[in-house]
Amino acid sequence: MRCDDLDDVIEALAEGDTLSAEYHAHVAGCSRCQARLAMARAVDRLLATREAPVPPAAFTFRVMERVGRAEWRAEQLVDVGFNVAVAAGIALVVAGVVGLAWSLGWLTVERPTLEAVGAAIEPWVSSTLARGPTVVLAALLLTSALGLWWWVEGEASL
Amino acid sequence: MAQEMTSTSEHELVARCREGDEQAFRELVERYKGLVFALVARSIADRARAEEVAQDVFLKVHRGLPYFRGEARLSTWIYRIVVNVLAAERRPMKTEPLEGSGDGPPREFGVADRAFEDLALRNRMEKAIARLPVHYQVLINGHYLKGLRYEDLAEALDLPMGTVKTHLHRAKRQLRHLLETEFR
């Protein structure tokens, strides 16, 4: 028997498992394997006597605080979703009512009125279109900033 | 009988937590914080980070409770979460092949001054444990903590009982090899 053969069972020997007499005979005559066995026993003993780290006194309080924040954030998300859904619902109802009134002829808009509105918003529309790239860039920056703020807020609350 | 009582109260506790009972979740944290913190703090040397990670475990427990079906023991389920969180936390490290690397003669472990030897070995051992793969690390940390049975480990790691013992021996062998070579 070679030392390498014994290497696989050193831990079992250290735990006191009963193995074939061959193994025991080898250990009895091999100083290298005796040292390995001594090391395995020492490791086992030290592992068994390691002190378990104790959590800090305020641990539970801090966990509960984080749980509370996470719950608050989840509720906020639900609230935002609910509000958006309500706003979308109202917009749909209003659009439906206006469309119905229009189709039934209860609501009419005179051509001069439409022209007047068109003339009023035309300068704003054309100047906005002229500054198109700037507006798009500003909108992107604003969206990114809002997204970043939302993400940071979320990380901080967890 | 004691086991029955434990699981009954565990079921009640989980049910109360699911109903949103804050006091029940506080009880759950109180009951398992020792186990969770010990497992985490044994794997993460930075105590502040260890506390944060242990808190993360309980946040995951809180989020996951509605989906906990009660097929496994609560401690087993929590242990599994700890393993996952630790695996995600641990950054990949450069490791050298360990198996069969102990070619040189192992260091003699004298008995002249056992207390000093123990202290030195303990220090080396902690460093060596940190170098083990997460799977072996939590197996050793879990096995030598009171309250975790072979069955719990087997369930948490999704391994048969016999395999857990084999893996534990392999983990300790790697640990010994590290102590005989890199952490001499």
Side-chain angles (χ1 to χ4, degrees), chain B residues 59-114:
Chain B
L59 277 185
K60 283 186 189 296
V61 168
H62 188 262
R63 272 185 222 139
L65 270 171
Y67 312 102
F68 175 65
R69 286 171 295 177
E71 285 165 1
R73 290 174 72 207
L74 188 59
S75 60
T76 309
W77 181 64
I78 292 175
Y79 181 80
R80 202 175 295 160
I81 293 176
V82 172
V83 173
N84 291 339
V85 169
L86 283 177
E89 172 71 13
R90 185 157 174 183
R91 294 188 185 98
M93 288 196 292
K94 276 185 192 169
T95 48
E96 291 178 15
L98 301 169
E99 297 286 355
S101 58
D103 289 336
R107 184 187 175 135
E108 284 293 332
F109 188 67
V111 288
D113 188 348
R114 191 160 177 173

Side-chain angles (χ1 to χ4, degrees), chain A residues 85-106:
Chain A
V86 166
I90 290 172
L92 269 175
V93 168
V94 168
V97 168
V98 169
L100 192 66
W102 184 282
S103 66
L104 292 174
W106 297 343

Side-chain angles (χ1 to χ4, degrees), chain A residues 8-78:
Chain A
D8 290 345
V9 295
I10 288 276
E11 275 62 40
L13 275 174
E15 284 179 15
D17 287 3
T18 314
L19 299 172
S20 129
E22 250 188 305
Y23 290 116
H24 293 281
H26 176 89
V27 173
C30 174
S31 61
R32 185 181 176 194
C33 287
Q34 280 169 14
R36 281 176 164 174
L37 187 58
M39 174 64 92
R41 282 186 178 138
V43 165
D44 216 34
R45 183 167 41 81
L46 289 180
L47 283 174
T49 55
R50 271 166 105 200
E51 270 180 35
V54 179
F59 183 81
T60 306
F61 172 76
R62 286 182 202 136
V63 169
M64 296 309 291
E65 212 175 36
R66 284 185 66 184
V67 165
R69 279 204 301 264
E71 275 181 340
W72 177 82
R73 185 166 164 71
E75 280 167 14
Q76 286 267 315
L77 275 174
V78 170

